[in-house]
Amino acid sequence: MPRISTLRVTRSHKIATAVLVAAGSVTAITATGGPSEAQSSATRSSVSVEPVAAAGIPTAKDAAEKAAKENAAEEAAAKKAAAKAVAEKAAAKERSEKQAANRSTERKAVTPKKYADNLDGWIREALDIMKKKNIPGSYEGLHRNIMRESSGNPNAVNDWDINARNGIPSKGLLQVIQPTFDAYHVKGTPKKLTDPVANITAAANYAADRYGSIDNVDSAY
């Protein structure tokens, strides 16, 4: 009996010891098997993570980029508006100068040149018209032939030569008959045979066709 009892106690003790040892090993394994929670947290916190927009809310970086783009767009628009204003100002100035030039030209065109109502004035007016119409002739040539034909009288009439006998007397400063006047009348002058300027230009036009120029005429023509 006492031997059996001792045996049982000894076996129970061994079993208990084995259990405790096993438990201690597990604890040790648990304690030494991997990094602690504090170490994991420290490792995660050491990694740098960029801020990310969440639920459509922009980050500070997004806001800065957007503001920079808006500023650039505003500056570009301002430069474009300034350039447009300069161009419009230049165009307005050009229009104003052109209108002023046109008005000046119109005034010159509307205001006729003044000529004296005498032989000198008639010759000068006739020469200006002849120049525009490319009819040759000089002041000297016109004056010389006028003085020979009519002595400067615009109403002079030849009532004795062959033309007069034929019913078409020579008239005016350069003694022109009506058929010649009608054929060589210069547009823009009065259609009146004895009008001084009309008579001179028609005669000069006829002389240019017949003799090359009134300057080449030295006698009746």
Side-chain angles (χ1 to χ4, degrees), residues 122 145-161 169-177 193-196 199:
W122 300 330
N145 281 282
I146 288 171
M147 296 308 292
R148 186 187 65 250
E149 294 291 340
S150 66
S151 299
N153 178 8
N155 296 311
V157 177
N158 184 323
D159 55 6
W160 56 267
D161 66 3
S170 302
K171 297 180 180 181
L173 291 173
L174 283 168
Q175 294 293 284
V176 183
I177 61 175
L193 178 57
T194 56
D195 178 85
N199 188 277

Side-chain angles (χ1 to χ4, degrees), residues 5-29:
S5 178
T6 301
L7 176 62
R8 287 179 179 176
V9 172
T10 301
R11 291 177 64 185
S12 297
H13 177 74
K14 288 180 179 180
I15 292 170
T17 300
V19 170
L20 289 173
V21 171
S25 299
V26 172
T27 301
I29 291 170

Side-chain angles (χ1 to χ4, degrees), residues 49-129:
V49 180
E50 291 290 337
V52 180
I57 301 175
T59 64
K61 183 179 179 181
D62 294 335
E65 291 177 349
K66 182 179 179 181
K69 290 180 180 179
E70 290 176 350
N71 289 337
E74 290 176 358
E75 289 178 0
K79 289 180 180 179
K80 185 176 180 180
K84 183 178 179 181
V86 171
E88 289 178 348
K89 185 177 180 180
K93 182 180 179 182
E94 184 178 356
R95 287 195 299 271
S96 178
E97 291 175 349
K98 185 178 291 186
Q99 289 172 355
N102 289 339
R103 285 193 295 269
S104 178
T105 301
E106 289 172 0
R107 284 195 297 270
K108 290 180 180 178
V110 170
T111 304
K113 185 176 179 180
K114 297 291 185 180
Y115 298 96
D117 189 21
N118 55 31
L119 182 58
D120 178 73
W122 300 330
I123 293 175
R124 293 186 185 282
E125 184 176 356
L127 284 170
D128 285 344
I129 294 172

Side-chain angles (χ1 to χ4, degrees), residues 125-137 184-189 197 201-202 204-205 208-209:
E125 184 176 356
L127 284 170
D128 285 344
I129 294 172
M130 290 163 59
K131 183 177 181 180
K132 292 178 182 178
K133 303 293 184 178
N134 295 318
I135 300 172
Y184 291 92
H185 172 258
V186 176
K187 188 175 181 180
T189 63
V197 175
T201 54
N205 196 21
D209 184 47

